[in-house]
Amino acid sequence: SLQDQFDNLEKHTQWGIDVLEKYIKFVKERTEIELSYAKQLRNLSKKYQPKKNSKEEEEYRYTSTRAFLATLNEMNDYAGQHEVISENMTSLITGELTRYVQELKQERKSHFHDGRKAQQHIETCWKQLEASKRRFERDCKEADRAQQYFEKMDADINVTKADVEKARQQAQLRHQMAEDSKAEYSSTLQKFNSEQHEHYYTHIPNIFQKIQEMEERRIVRIGESMKTFAEVDRQVIPIIGKCLDEITKAAESVDHKNDSQMVIEAFKSGFEPPGDIDFEDFTQPMKRTVSESSLSNSRGDGKSEPKFGSKSKGKLWPFIKKNKLMSLLTSPHQPPPPPPASASPSAVPNGPQSPKQQKEPLSHRFNEFMTSKPKIHCFRSLKRGGAGPEDFSNLPPEQRRKKLQQKVDELNRDIQKEMDQRDALTKMKDVYIKNPQMGDAASVDHRLAELGQNIEKLRLEVQKFEGWLAEVEGRLPARTEQPRRQSGVYEAQNPSGVNSCAQDRESPDGSYTEEQSQETEMKVPATDFDDEFDDEEPLPTIGTCKALYTFEGQNEGTISVAEGEMLYVIEEDKGDGWTRIRRNEDEEGYVPTSYVEVYLDKNAK
């Protein structure tokens, strides 16, 4: 029936809307995936970006790491294209289809409302026809019965003429009513047939046509949306291709030769390879001693005494000392801190723990050199945490030159910043002088004075570092001043002997050498070495201290103390964790700073 067809169409069109809504949901989830993917890509790129002002930034000077950084940046742009996909799909598909679904639902509702209305109208017409038909049938029957009654009355001789006339009139009335019902039924029937023809051949086909057009538009729209779905992806392919091309270009820019050369430049030390080691003949029945003659024989017969910092010294220095330095810097400090096993102030010449050098075979002396602990005064300027001395004298020559140059450039930049501020304040002051209503010119004088002092301090720092840089580059003679850690008395005591740690490590041309004190000990008899300091004045006291813990003082250059003992301080801690103290005129040495409570004399210099 027609009603069944309407029901089928209603179900089908509802299914079409459900399909459309399902596709909208699919595209919406796709956009969420694109956004999530873009966010994850951006987070990934951010995660592996070098952190500012960190060591990672230095690593990105190599072509391979720069290519990786370019890849990260391109991945960021790549993520941006996926965000574009999400935005375009949301605006061109999801948003448009959502509005279209609302319109489609309204249109569908309207069409089926018209169909139900037409169906109700034809049903009403059919009911009217049925009512007219029943009335006509009833009136015909009534007229027939009235006619039969009249004929019966007319044939009966016992009935009066008046009764017969009355029956005749009633039969005529019923017959007229039947004729009227017949005419009405005929008219109603014609009207119904017309309405039914209009219903089945005009109204219902028009409604079905509209529903068909609506459904076809829905199918076309979902097809166009699928095409847009692909086009949105296709539009970003060229840009994504450019991102990939840039990644390929960055990868092709990787230069292994350049990177390896940068590594060479970064870690180039300036050392020369060690010389050949001479053969020692143990078949001769003689006792080899640490004397000038045996040293000369081991270094080369007939050669004069090597100068300080000369290249003929043992070249094993850089390969040994650096490892010792690293072991010192990485040694743990336990609270209360015991003295580090590698940090013994053995180079203090007048300490009670400095034994006189005994004559022994050169091979034994060499072994001792290979295994001896670094002398603590060579690291006096090292701070806790492993920072090097201010002049970078703990570095190889080439590395030291680079560090000094970087420091000079950094200080020059700071000077330029301060000068720019000073120029700006000077202009502001001139404006205030010309226009007093704008501000007080005297208010900037204090800041100008501070900037002048800062600039002067920075210039002095630049001069200091430029001097060290010139020394490394060979433009100036080697420094003769002692390290800041040593006292002035010790400088006066030892003008020609051990020249302290800074010169232990470097020669006039900035290269690493063996420890000067070691060669001096091997060349000079021990008695002469100690006698240099026998008649010297002791270091002045700068305060007192109380021992908080018992310290055994087993390492060379240290002194043992008992808990609660009061002693004199002759040199305070310079940042390496050691304090130099004295018990009496003959007993002095180093103890861990954390083992004593120091009371410095404010008037002591």
Side-chain angles (χ1 to χ4, degrees):
S1 68
L2 184 63
Q3 184 63 39
D4 293 339
Q5 298 303 323
F6 264 101
D7 292 342
N8 292 335
L9 287 177
E10 192 170 12
K11 291 178 181 178
H12 178 77
T13 52
Q14 181 61 44
W15 171 84
I17 292 176
D18 293 341
V19 169
L20 201 55
E21 290 179 336
K22 184 186 295 185
Y23 184 73
I24 293 172
K25 186 178 180 182
F26 159 74
V27 176
K28 188 177 293 185
E29 290 184 3
R30 165 73 191 276
T31 59
E32 291 173 356
I33 289 172
E34 292 292 340
L35 280 179
S36 176
Y37 181 51
K39 182 179 179 181
Q40 290 179 13
L41 283 180
R42 288 191 185 278
N43 289 340
L44 181 67
S45 176
K46 182 179 179 181
K47 176 181 177 182
Y48 286 93
Q49 286 281 351
K51 296 182 175 54
K52 292 184 178 180
N53 302 323
S54 68
K55 186 180 179 182
E56 290 184 10
E57 280 193 331
E58 299 179 3
E59 297 173 354
Y60 280 83
R61 64 179 185 269
Y62 300 105
T63 58
S64 57
T65 48
R66 284 205 302 269
F68 178 54
L69 183 60
T71 301
L72 295 177
N73 294 332
E74 293 302 328
M75 289 304 295
N76 211 34
D77 296 339
Y78 186 90
Q81 296 310 306
H82 285 277
E83 291 174 345
V84 170
I85 291 175
S86 176
E87 292 171 1
N88 290 342
M89 285 186 176
T90 300
S91 60
L92 299 178
I93 300 177
T94 307
E96 292 294 330
L97 287 184
T98 301
R99 285 191 293 272
Y100 177 69
V101 165
Q102 297 302 322
E103 296 172 359
L104 187 64
K105 287 180 177 179
Q106 291 296 328
E107 184 180 0
R108 173 179 173 274
K109 182 179 179 180
S110 174
H111 292 329
F112 283 100
H113 175 72
D114 293 342
R116 283 191 293 270
K117 187 176 180 181
Q119 192 71 17
Q120 289 173 359
H121 177 69
I122 198 67
E123 288 177 357
T124 301
C125 291
W126 170 257
K127 288 179 182 179
Q128 289 176 355
L129 177 63
E130 287 292 320
S132 178
K133 180 181 176 181
R134 285 193 298 270
R135 187 165 55 251
F136 172 57
E137 181 182 6
R138 185 179 68 249
D139 288 345
C140 287
K141 289 179 179 181
E142 290 291 333
D144 188 46
R145 282 196 299 269
Q147 184 64 30
Q148 290 176 3
Y149 181 75
F150 165 69
E151 291 176 354
K152 181 181 178 182
M153 290 292 289
D154 188 41
D156 191 357
I157 58 174
N158 298 319
V159 178
T160 63
K161 188 176 181 179
D163 291 336
V164 172
E165 184 63 22
K166 184 177 179 181
R168 185 182 63 80
Q169 290 178 356
Q170 186 68 26
Q172 288 179 350
L173 179 64
R174 292 294 180 185
H175 182 72
Q176 184 63 40
M177 289 176 64
E179 289 295 328
D180 292 341
S181 297
K182 180 180 178 181
E184 183 184 357
Y185 171 66
S186 178
S187 173
T188 304
L189 181 61
Q190 289 178 0
K191 182 180 178 182
F192 175 77
N193 288 334
S194 175
E195 290 287 345
Q196 182 175 255
H197 186 275
E198 189 77 15
H199 176 76
Y200 284 103
Y201 288 94
T202 304
H203 293 315
I204 296 301
N206 286 340
I207 292 172
F208 283 174
Q209 183 65 29
K210 290 179 181 179
I211 293 174
Q212 180 180 351
E213 291 173 357
M214 177 191 72
E215 183 66 10
E216 288 174 353
R217 285 199 307 273
R218 178 193 66 80
I219 296 171
V220 170
R221 193 63 177 267
I222 195 170
E224 290 176 349
S225 298
M226 291 178 181
K227 185 178 178 181
T228 305
F229 183 85
E231 286 298 323
V232 168
D233 251 343
R234 186 176 287 111
Q235 286 174 0
V236 301
I237 287 177
I239 303 176
I240 290 177
K242 287 182 180 179
C243 294
L244 298 178
D245 291 342
E246 290 297 324
I247 293 175
T248 304
K249 183 179 178 181
E252 291 172 350
S253 69
V254 174
D255 186 353
H256 59 284
K257 294 290 186 183
N258 180 71
D259 284 5
S260 59
Q261 188 61 37
M262 290 179 68
V263 174
I264 292 172
E265 289 297 327
F267 298 106
K268 183 168 61 178
S269 65
F271 293 130
E272 292 183 5
D276 295 338
I277 299 177
D278 294 336
F279 175 75
E280 292 187 57
D281 190 357
F282 292 95
T283 59
Q284 298 180 8
M286 61 175 290
K287 184 178 181 181
R288 290 171 297 279
T289 60
V290 184
S291 62
E292 188 172 2
S293 61
S294 63
L295 177 62
S296 300
N297 291 336
S298 65
R299 300 289 183 182
D301 293 332
K303 292 185 179 180
S304 60
E305 178 183 331
K307 297 179 181 178
F308 172 71
S310 66
K311 294 181 179 179
S312 63
K313 291 186 177 184
K315 299 299 181 181
L316 291 174
W317 203 103
F319 305 102
I320 302 167
K321 201 67 176 179
K322 185 174 181 180
N323 293 335
K324 291 178 176 290
L325 174 62
M326 294 307 295
S327 67
L328 174 69
L329 296 180
T330 57
S331 60
H333 298 276
Q334 302 293 335
S342 60
S344 60
S346 60
V348 182
N350 57 349
Q353 303 293 337
S354 300
K356 297 183 179 182
Q357 300 296 325
Q358 301 296 328
K359 296 183 179 181
E360 53 186 342
L362 180 61
S363 60
H364 293 182
R365 197 70 184 94
F366 180 74
N367 290 334
E368 181 184 349
F369 168 72
M370 292 287 286
T371 59
S372 62
K373 298 177 181 178
K375 300 181 180 180
I376 192 65
H377 77 279
C378 291
F379 306 101
R380 281 308 142 106
S381 56
L382 295 181
K383 299 178 180 178
R384 286 189 179 92
E390 187 182 15
D391 59 354
F392 304 110
S393 56
N394 61 316
L395 298 176
E398 185 65 23
Q399 303 301 316
R400 184 186 181 202
R401 183 191 67 78
K402 290 181 180 179
K403 287 289 187 181
L404 290 172
Q405 186 62 54
Q406 290 175 5
K407 188 67 175 179
V408 169
D409 295 341
E410 180 184 340
L411 289 171
N412 284 329
R413 287 194 296 270
D414 293 341
I415 289 175
Q416 188 60 44
K417 288 180 183 178
E418 297 289 324
M419 291 179 68
D420 292 342
Q421 292 186 32
R422 185 180 64 181
D423 293 343
L425 285 175
T426 302
K427 292 179 181 178
M428 184 185 296
K429 182 178 180 180
D430 293 340
V431 172
Y432 288 169
I433 291 174
K434 293 178 182 178
N435 302 286
Q437 67 275 11
M438 296 183 67
D440 184 11
S443 62
V444 299
D445 289 341
H446 179 67
R447 179 58 181 161
L448 283 173
E450 286 184 357
L451 290 173
Q453 294 174 1
N454 293 342
I455 292 172
E456 188 61 30
K457 290 179 182 178
L458 290 171
R459 282 175 175 166
L460 291 175
E461 286 289 311
V462 169
Q463 291 177 4
K464 178 171 66 175
F465 281 95
E466 284 180 343
W468 286 332
L469 181 61
E471 174 188 329
V472 173
E473 293 177 347
R475 298 197 301 266
L476 295 177
R479 290 179 295 155
T480 56
E481 69 269 15
Q482 299 297 317
R484 294 177 301 279
R485 178 64 176 162
Q486 289 182 311
S487 64
V489 175
Y490 177 56
E491 293 172 18
Q493 289 175 342
N494 195 14
S496 60
V498 179
N499 206 11
S500 184
C501 67
Q503 294 186 353
D504 285 347
R505 285 189 295 265
E506 58 182 311
S507 63
D509 61 355
S511 63
Y512 275 53
T513 64
E514 256 184 331
E515 294 187 10
Q516 179 72 14
S517 61
Q518 201 160 6
E519 288 203 359
T520 305
E521 290 166 358
M522 288 192 288
K523 291 186 295 185
V524 182
T527 54
D528 297 339
F529 180 85
D530 282 348
D531 288 341
E532 276 189 65
F533 307 99
D534 286 344
D535 299 325
E536 296 296 336
E537 295 181 1
L539 294 176
T541 60
I542 60 173
T544 59
C545 66
K546 179 182 178 181
L548 301 175
Y549 310 97
T550 300
F551 178 63
E552 297 298 334
Q554 298 176 353
N555 293 330
E556 185 179 7
T558 60
I559 183 173
S560 60
V561 296
E563 183 179 352
E565 186 177 3
M566 296 296 296
L567 305 107
Y568 297 102
V569 178
I570 57 176
E571 188 175 355
E572 62 179 317
D573 185 2
K574 299 299 182 182
D576 57 355
W578 293 89
T579 299
R580 192 173 176 184
I581 64 171
R582 176 186 297 140
R583 179 177 288 112
N584 51 50
E585 292 183 359
D586 298 326
E587 292 184 75
E588 64 180 48
Y590 288 88
V591 294
T593 305
S594 57
Y595 275 51
V596 294
E597 186 175 359
V598 178
Y599 310 96
L600 293 179
D601 185 358
K602 296 182 180 179
N603 298 325
K605 296 183 180 179

